[in-house]
mmCIF file of all heavy atoms in Angstrom:
data_model
loop_
_atom_site.group_PDB
_atom_site.id
_atom_site.type_symbol
_atom_site.label_atom_id
_atom_site.label_comp_id
_atom_site.label_asym_id
_atom_site.label_seq_id
_atom_site.Cartn_x
_atom_site.Cartn_y
_atom_site.Cartn_z
ATOM 1 N N PRO A 1 100.790 81.694 85.499
ATOM 2 C CA PRO A 1 102.041 80.936 85.538
ATOM 3 C C PRO A 1 102.668 80.829 84.156
ATOM 4 O O PRO A 1 101.980 80.597 83.166
ATOM 5 C CB PRO A 1 101.610 79.569 86.062
ATOM 6 C CG PRO A 1 100.374 79.849 86.856
ATOM 7 C CD PRO A 1 99.679 80.967 86.119
ATOM 8 N N GLY A 2 103.974 81.011 84.112
ATOM 9 C CA GLY A 2 104.689 81.023 82.847
ATOM 10 C C GLY A 2 104.747 82.370 82.177
ATOM 11 O O GLY A 2 105.480 82.534 81.190
ATOM 12 N N GLY A 3 104.016 83.319 82.695
ATOM 13 C CA GLY A 3 104.000 84.641 82.121
ATOM 14 C C GLY A 3 105.134 85.512 82.612
ATOM 15 O O GLY A 3 106.012 85.076 83.357
ATOM 16 N N SER A 4 105.085 86.763 82.189
ATOM 17 C CA SER A 4 106.134 87.721 82.510
ATOM 18 C C SER A 4 105.537 88.987 83.098
ATOM 19 O O SER A 4 104.396 89.357 82.807
ATOM 20 C CB SER A 4 106.945 88.080 81.263
ATOM 21 O OG SER A 4 107.597 86.950 80.723
ATOM 22 N N LEU A 5 106.336 89.646 83.895
ATOM 23 C CA LEU A 5 105.926 90.889 84.527
ATOM 24 C C LEU A 5 107.170 91.666 84.905
ATOM 25 O O LEU A 5 108.193 91.070 85.255
ATOM 26 C CB LEU A 5 105.089 90.599 85.770
ATOM 27 C CG LEU A 5 104.327 91.759 86.413
ATOM 28 C CD1 LEU A 5 103.206 92.231 85.497
ATOM 29 C CD2 LEU A 5 103.757 91.326 87.754
ATOM 30 N N SER A 6 107.085 92.976 84.837
ATOM 31 C CA SER A 6 108.186 93.829 85.247
ATOM 32 C C SER A 6 107.725 94.796 86.321
ATOM 33 O O SER A 6 106.600 95.301 86.272
ATOM 34 C CB SER A 6 108.737 94.620 84.057
ATOM 35 O OG SER A 6 109.350 93.774 83.110
ATOM 36 N N VAL A 7 108.593 95.038 87.271
ATOM 37 C CA VAL A 7 108.357 96.046 88.285
ATOM 38 C C VAL A 7 109.486 97.055 88.229
ATOM 39 O O VAL A 7 110.608 96.738 87.814
ATOM 40 C CB VAL A 7 108.232 95.445 89.699
ATOM 41 C CG1 VAL A 7 106.972 94.598 89.800
ATOM 42 C CG2 VAL A 7 109.454 94.610 90.055
ATOM 43 N N SER A 8 109.196 98.267 88.627
ATOM 44 C CA SER A 8 110.191 99.319 88.587
ATOM 45 C C SER A 8 110.243 100.051 89.914
ATOM 46 O O SER A 8 109.297 100.031 90.699
ATOM 47 C CB SER A 8 109.907 100.304 87.452
ATOM 48 O OG SER A 8 108.690 100.992 87.662
ATOM 49 N N CYS A 9 111.352 100.707 90.131
ATOM 50 C CA CYS A 9 111.574 101.466 91.357
ATOM 51 C C CYS A 9 112.316 102.735 90.989
ATOM 52 O O CYS A 9 113.453 102.672 90.501
ATOM 53 C CB CYS A 9 112.378 100.630 92.352
ATOM 54 S SG CYS A 9 112.831 101.484 93.872
ATOM 55 N N THR A 10 111.685 103.865 91.216
ATOM 56 C CA THR A 10 112.272 105.158 90.900
ATOM 57 C C THR A 10 112.644 105.882 92.179
ATOM 58 O O THR A 10 111.838 105.964 93.110
ATOM 59 C CB THR A 10 111.302 106.004 90.070
ATOM 60 O OG1 THR A 10 111.005 105.338 88.840
ATOM 61 C CG2 THR A 10 111.922 107.365 89.738
ATOM 62 N N THR A 11 113.846 106.416 92.217
ATOM 63 C CA THR A 11 114.362 107.070 93.410
ATOM 64 C C THR A 11 114.280 108.579 93.275
ATOM 65 O O THR A 11 114.231 109.128 92.173
ATOM 66 C CB THR A 11 115.811 106.668 93.679
ATOM 67 O OG1 THR A 11 116.648 107.135 92.612
ATOM 68 C CG2 THR A 11 115.945 105.157 93.778
ATOM 69 N N SER A 12 114.299 109.254 94.411
ATOM 70 C CA SER A 12 114.210 110.709 94.433
ATOM 71 C C SER A 12 115.555 111.389 94.251
ATOM 72 O O SER A 12 115.620 112.615 94.179
ATOM 73 C CB SER A 12 113.576 111.175 95.741
ATOM 74 O OG SER A 12 114.373 110.809 96.853
ATOM 75 N N LYS A 13 116.618 110.628 94.183
ATOM 76 C CA LYS A 13 117.927 111.160 93.866
ATOM 77 C C LYS A 13 118.647 110.175 92.968
ATOM 78 O O LYS A 13 118.187 109.049 92.774
ATOM 79 C CB LYS A 13 118.741 111.450 95.122
ATOM 80 C CG LYS A 13 119.188 110.220 95.892
ATOM 81 C CD LYS A 13 120.100 110.609 97.053
ATOM 82 C CE LYS A 13 120.650 109.397 97.777
ATOM 83 N NZ LYS A 13 121.566 109.794 98.890
ATOM 84 N N THR A 14 119.782 110.586 92.440
ATOM 85 C CA THR A 14 120.511 109.712 91.534
ATOM 86 C C THR A 14 120.852 108.391 92.212
ATOM 87 O O THR A 14 121.364 108.349 93.327
ATOM 88 C CB THR A 14 121.778 110.393 91.016
ATOM 89 O OG1 THR A 14 122.526 109.456 90.233
ATOM 90 C CG2 THR A 14 122.652 110.892 92.158
ATOM 91 N N ILE A 15 120.569 107.308 91.495
ATOM 92 C CA ILE A 15 120.868 106.001 92.066
ATOM 93 C C ILE A 15 122.367 105.748 92.113
ATOM 94 O O ILE A 15 122.820 104.836 92.811
ATOM 95 C CB ILE A 15 120.158 104.872 91.301
ATOM 96 C CG1 ILE A 15 120.608 104.818 89.838
ATOM 97 C CG2 ILE A 15 118.656 105.037 91.392
ATOM 98 C CD1 ILE A 15 120.052 103.624 89.083
ATOM 99 N N LEU A 16 123.133 106.544 91.403
ATOM 100 C CA LEU A 16 124.584 106.399 91.456
ATOM 101 C C LEU A 16 125.142 106.801 92.819
ATOM 102 O O LEU A 16 126.266 106.429 93.157
ATOM 103 C CB LEU A 16 125.245 107.231 90.355
ATOM 104 C CG LEU A 16 124.996 106.752 88.926
ATOM 105 C CD1 LEU A 16 125.610 107.719 87.925
ATOM 106 C CD2 LEU A 16 125.551 105.358 88.724
ATOM 107 N N SER A 17 124.378 107.557 93.589
ATOM 108 C CA SER A 17 124.800 107.934 94.925
ATOM 109 C C SER A 17 124.412 106.895 95.977
ATOM 110 O O SER A 17 124.744 107.067 97.152
ATOM 111 C CB SER A 17 124.216 109.292 95.309
ATOM 112 O OG SER A 17 122.817 109.221 95.481
ATOM 113 N N ILE A 18 123.710 105.850 95.555
ATOM 114 C CA ILE A 18 123.320 104.761 96.431
ATOM 115 C C ILE A 18 124.134 103.536 96.047
ATOM 116 O O ILE A 18 124.086 103.099 94.895
ATOM 117 C CB ILE A 18 121.814 104.464 96.324
ATOM 118 C CG1 ILE A 18 121.009 105.729 96.609
ATOM 119 C CG2 ILE A 18 121.415 103.341 97.267
ATOM 120 C CD1 ILE A 18 119.529 105.585 96.342
ATOM 121 N N TYR A 19 124.854 102.978 96.989
ATOM 122 C CA TYR A 19 125.795 101.906 96.669
ATOM 123 C C TYR A 19 125.100 100.702 96.049
ATOM 124 O O TYR A 19 125.573 100.143 95.054
ATOM 125 C CB TYR A 19 126.566 101.481 97.910
ATOM 126 C CG TYR A 19 127.374 100.231 97.699
ATOM 127 C CD1 TYR A 19 128.496 100.239 96.879
ATOM 128 C CD2 TYR A 19 127.012 99.044 98.318
ATOM 129 C CE1 TYR A 19 129.231 99.091 96.671
ATOM 130 C CE2 TYR A 19 127.743 97.893 98.118
ATOM 131 C CZ TYR A 19 128.856 97.919 97.293
ATOM 132 O OH TYR A 19 129.580 96.776 97.093
ATOM 133 N N ALA A 20 123.996 100.276 96.654
ATOM 134 C CA ALA A 20 123.322 99.077 96.185
ATOM 135 C C ALA A 20 121.817 99.287 96.174
ATOM 136 O O ALA A 20 121.249 99.871 97.104
ATOM 137 C CB ALA A 20 123.674 97.882 97.051
ATOM 138 N N MET A 21 121.184 98.803 95.126
ATOM 139 C CA MET A 21 119.739 98.802 94.995
ATOM 140 C C MET A 21 119.288 97.378 94.708
ATOM 141 O O MET A 21 120.006 96.608 94.067
ATOM 142 C CB MET A 21 119.282 99.712 93.858
ATOM 143 C CG MET A 21 119.611 101.183 94.043
ATOM 144 S SD MET A 21 118.579 101.968 95.309
ATOM 145 C CE MET A 21 116.945 101.738 94.606
ATOM 146 N N GLY A 22 118.098 97.055 95.151
ATOM 147 C CA GLY A 22 117.615 95.711 94.887
ATOM 148 C C GLY A 22 116.198 95.501 95.347
ATOM 149 O O GLY A 22 115.462 96.453 95.634
ATOM 150 N N TRP A 23 115.822 94.223 95.397
ATOM 151 C CA TRP A 23 114.461 93.822 95.719
ATOM 152 C C TRP A 23 114.457 92.699 96.728
ATOM 153 O O TRP A 23 115.194 91.713 96.589
ATOM 154 C CB TRP A 23 113.726 93.356 94.456
ATOM 155 C CG TRP A 23 113.640 94.395 93.387
ATOM 156 C CD1 TRP A 23 114.580 94.701 92.463
ATOM 157 C CD2 TRP A 23 112.533 95.273 93.139
ATOM 158 N NE1 TRP A 23 114.149 95.713 91.648
ATOM 159 C CE2 TRP A 23 112.898 96.085 92.035
ATOM 160 C CE3 TRP A 23 111.288 95.448 93.724
ATOM 161 C CZ2 TRP A 23 112.037 97.058 91.525
ATOM 162 C CZ3 TRP A 23 110.438 96.416 93.209
ATOM 163 C CH2 TRP A 23 110.823 97.200 92.122
ATOM 164 N N TYR A 24 113.646 92.856 97.745
ATOM 165 C CA TYR A 24 113.257 91.781 98.634
ATOM 166 C C TYR A 24 111.806 91.420 98.332
ATOM 167 O O TYR A 24 111.054 92.235 97.798
ATOM 168 C CB TYR A 24 113.361 92.193 100.097
ATOM 169 C CG TYR A 24 114.756 92.174 100.681
ATOM 170 C CD1 TYR A 24 115.606 93.255 100.539
ATOM 171 C CD2 TYR A 24 115.199 91.069 101.405
ATOM 172 C CE1 TYR A 24 116.879 93.242 101.087
ATOM 173 C CE2 TYR A 24 116.467 91.052 101.962
ATOM 174 C CZ TYR A 24 117.301 92.143 101.798
ATOM 175 O OH TYR A 24 118.555 92.122 102.354
ATOM 176 N N ARG A 25 111.437 90.205 98.693
ATOM 177 C CA ARG A 25 110.031 89.841 98.611
ATOM 178 C C ARG A 25 109.605 89.139 99.894
ATOM 179 O O ARG A 25 110.405 88.506 100.573
ATOM 180 C CB ARG A 25 109.731 88.973 97.392
ATOM 181 C CG ARG A 25 110.376 87.599 97.393
ATOM 182 C CD ARG A 25 110.112 86.904 96.059
ATOM 183 N NE ARG A 25 110.687 85.569 96.014
ATOM 184 C CZ ARG A 25 110.691 84.803 94.933
ATOM 185 N NH1 ARG A 25 110.143 85.245 93.794
ATOM 186 N NH2 ARG A 25 111.239 83.590 94.976
ATOM 187 N N GLN A 26 108.320 89.279 100.198
ATOM 188 C CA GLN A 26 107.749 88.699 101.401
ATOM 189 C C GLN A 26 106.438 88.024 101.042
ATOM 190 O O GLN A 26 105.494 88.687 100.604
ATOM 191 C CB GLN A 26 107.506 89.779 102.459
ATOM 192 C CG GLN A 26 106.918 89.257 103.750
ATOM 193 C CD GLN A 26 107.963 88.630 104.639
ATOM 194 O OE1 GLN A 26 108.914 89.283 105.070
ATOM 195 N NE2 GLN A 26 107.804 87.342 104.908
ATOM 196 N N ALA A 27 106.391 86.722 101.218
ATOM 197 C CA ALA A 27 105.178 85.961 101.010
ATOM 198 C C ALA A 27 104.587 85.587 102.362
ATOM 199 O O ALA A 27 105.320 85.450 103.348
ATOM 200 C CB ALA A 27 105.461 84.700 100.196
ATOM 201 N N PRO A 28 103.268 85.419 102.442
ATOM 202 C CA PRO A 28 102.656 85.039 103.714
ATOM 203 C C PRO A 28 103.259 83.761 104.277
ATOM 204 O O PRO A 28 103.374 82.753 103.575
ATOM 205 C CB PRO A 28 101.185 84.850 103.350
ATOM 206 C CG PRO A 28 100.982 85.709 102.149
ATOM 207 C CD PRO A 28 102.265 85.612 101.383
ATOM 208 N N GLY A 29 103.657 83.808 105.529
ATOM 209 C CA GLY A 29 104.219 82.649 106.184
ATOM 210 C C GLY A 29 105.645 82.318 105.816
ATOM 211 O O GLY A 29 106.171 81.298 106.268
ATOM 212 N N ALA A 30 106.274 83.145 105.012
ATOM 213 C CA ALA A 30 107.633 82.894 104.554
ATOM 214 C C ALA A 30 108.579 83.972 105.053
ATOM 215 O O ALA A 30 108.165 85.075 105.410
ATOM 216 C CB ALA A 30 107.681 82.817 103.036
ATOM 217 N N GLN A 31 109.854 83.640 105.061
ATOM 218 C CA GLN A 31 110.871 84.618 105.409
ATOM 219 C C GLN A 31 111.022 85.651 104.304
ATOM 220 O O GLN A 31 110.794 85.355 103.128
ATOM 221 C CB GLN A 31 112.215 83.927 105.646
ATOM 222 C CG GLN A 31 112.255 82.977 106.820
ATOM 223 C CD GLN A 31 113.621 82.342 107.001
ATOM 224 O OE1 GLN A 31 114.512 82.505 106.171
ATOM 225 N NE2 GLN A 31 113.793 81.614 108.081
ATOM 226 N N ARG A 32 111.411 86.844 104.704
ATOM 227 C CA ARG A 32 111.752 87.836 103.710
ATOM 228 C C ARG A 32 112.984 87.367 102.948
ATOM 229 O O ARG A 32 113.974 86.933 103.555
ATOM 230 C CB ARG A 32 112.008 89.188 104.371
ATOM 231 C CG ARG A 32 112.211 90.325 103.387
ATOM 232 C CD ARG A 32 112.370 91.647 104.098
ATOM 233 N NE ARG A 32 113.553 91.672 104.942
ATOM 234 C CZ ARG A 32 113.905 92.708 105.692
ATOM 235 N NH1 ARG A 32 113.151 93.800 105.718
ATOM 236 N NH2 ARG A 32 115.004 92.649 106.433
ATOM 237 N N GLU A 33 112.930 87.455 101.647
ATOM 238 C CA GLU A 33 113.945 86.880 100.780
ATOM 239 C C GLU A 33 114.543 87.947 99.882
ATOM 240 O O GLU A 33 113.810 88.689 99.221
ATOM 241 C CB GLU A 33 113.341 85.760 99.923
ATOM 242 C CG GLU A 33 114.300 85.138 98.929
ATOM 243 C CD GLU A 33 113.623 84.140 98.006
ATOM 244 O OE1 GLU A 33 112.408 84.307 97.746
ATOM 245 O OE2 GLU A 33 114.293 83.198 97.556
ATOM 246 N N LEU A 34 115.855 87.996 99.842
ATOM 247 C CA LEU A 34 116.529 88.854 98.869
ATOM 248 C C LEU A 34 116.382 88.237 97.492
ATOM 249 O O LEU A 34 116.796 87.092 97.265
ATOM 250 C CB LEU A 34 118.005 89.021 99.227
ATOM 251 C CG LEU A 34 118.838 89.838 98.225
ATOM 252 C CD1 LEU A 34 118.376 91.286 98.198
ATOM 253 C CD2 LEU A 34 120.317 89.754 98.561
ATOM 254 N N VAL A 35 115.814 88.987 96.570
ATOM 255 C CA VAL A 35 115.572 88.502 95.219
ATOM 256 C C VAL A 35 116.725 88.850 94.293
ATOM 257 O O VAL A 35 117.239 87.992 93.567
ATOM 258 C CB VAL A 35 114.262 89.076 94.661
ATOM 259 C CG1 VAL A 35 114.039 88.620 93.221
ATOM 260 C CG2 VAL A 35 113.088 88.657 95.548
ATOM 261 N N ALA A 36 117.117 90.104 94.289
ATOM 262 C CA ALA A 36 118.159 90.565 93.384
ATOM 263 C C ALA A 36 118.756 91.853 93.903
ATOM 264 O O ALA A 36 118.089 92.621 94.608
ATOM 265 C CB ALA A 36 117.607 90.781 91.973
ATOM 266 N N ARG A 37 119.995 92.090 93.525
ATOM 267 C CA ARG A 37 120.700 93.293 93.952
ATOM 268 C C ARG A 37 121.639 93.730 92.839
ATOM 269 O O ARG A 37 122.261 92.898 92.177
ATOM 270 C CB ARG A 37 121.486 93.027 95.239
ATOM 271 C CG ARG A 37 122.306 94.208 95.741
ATOM 272 C CD ARG A 37 123.032 93.853 97.035
ATOM 273 N NE ARG A 37 123.908 92.702 96.864
ATOM 274 C CZ ARG A 37 123.887 91.619 97.638
ATOM 275 N NH1 ARG A 37 123.033 91.533 98.655
ATOM 276 N NH2 ARG A 37 124.727 90.621 97.408
ATOM 277 N N ILE A 38 121.763 95.032 92.669
ATOM 278 C CA ILE A 38 122.720 95.587 91.735
ATOM 279 C C ILE A 38 123.410 96.766 92.398
ATOM 280 O O ILE A 38 122.763 97.611 93.010
ATOM 281 C CB ILE A 38 122.040 95.984 90.401
ATOM 282 C CG1 ILE A 38 123.078 96.459 89.378
ATOM 283 C CG2 ILE A 38 120.952 97.032 90.616
ATOM 284 C CD1 ILE A 38 122.514 96.576 87.968
ATOM 285 N N THR A 39 124.721 96.818 92.286
ATOM 286 C CA THR A 39 125.478 97.909 92.873
ATOM 287 C C THR A 39 125.688 99.019 91.857
ATOM 288 O O THR A 39 125.476 98.844 90.658
ATOM 289 C CB THR A 39 126.836 97.433 93.394
ATOM 290 O OG1 THR A 39 127.677 97.092 92.285
ATOM 291 C CG2 THR A 39 126.680 96.226 94.313
ATOM 292 N N SER A 40 126.127 100.161 92.357
ATOM 293 C CA SER A 40 126.406 101.279 91.472
ATOM 294 C C SER A 40 127.520 100.951 90.488
ATOM 295 O O SER A 40 127.594 101.558 89.418
ATOM 296 C CB SER A 40 126.775 102.521 92.284
ATOM 297 O OG SER A 40 127.909 102.285 93.097
ATOM 298 N N GLY A 41 128.370 99.985 90.839
ATOM 299 C CA GLY A 41 129.417 99.537 89.943
ATOM 300 C C GLY A 41 129.000 98.432 88.997
ATOM 301 O O GLY A 41 129.826 97.981 88.198
ATOM 302 N N GLY A 42 127.747 97.983 89.088
ATOM 303 C CA GLY A 42 127.235 96.998 88.159
ATOM 304 C C GLY A 42 127.315 95.553 88.609
ATOM 305 O O GLY A 42 127.009 94.649 87.830
ATOM 306 N N ARG A 43 127.716 95.309 89.828
ATOM 307 C CA ARG A 43 127.764 93.938 90.332
ATOM 308 C C ARG A 43 126.356 93.469 90.659
ATOM 309 O O ARG A 43 125.622 94.131 91.382
ATOM 310 C CB ARG A 43 128.662 93.857 91.559
ATOM 311 C CG ARG A 43 128.757 92.475 92.177
ATOM 312 C CD ARG A 43 129.856 92.416 93.225
ATOM 313 N NE ARG A 43 129.709 93.444 94.244
ATOM 314 C CZ ARG A 43 128.957 93.322 95.336
ATOM 315 N NH1 ARG A 43 128.267 92.208 95.548
ATOM 316 N NH2 ARG A 43 128.897 94.310 96.210
#
């Protein structure tokens, strides 16, 4: 707790051809949650 960690996701094609990329997370007994999203335009 209080520490830091990074995760990465590498795609098999240019991510610029994918409108939106992001992360969901799923904890036991919890709903799937959208964590973060970034679009090809930077939103």
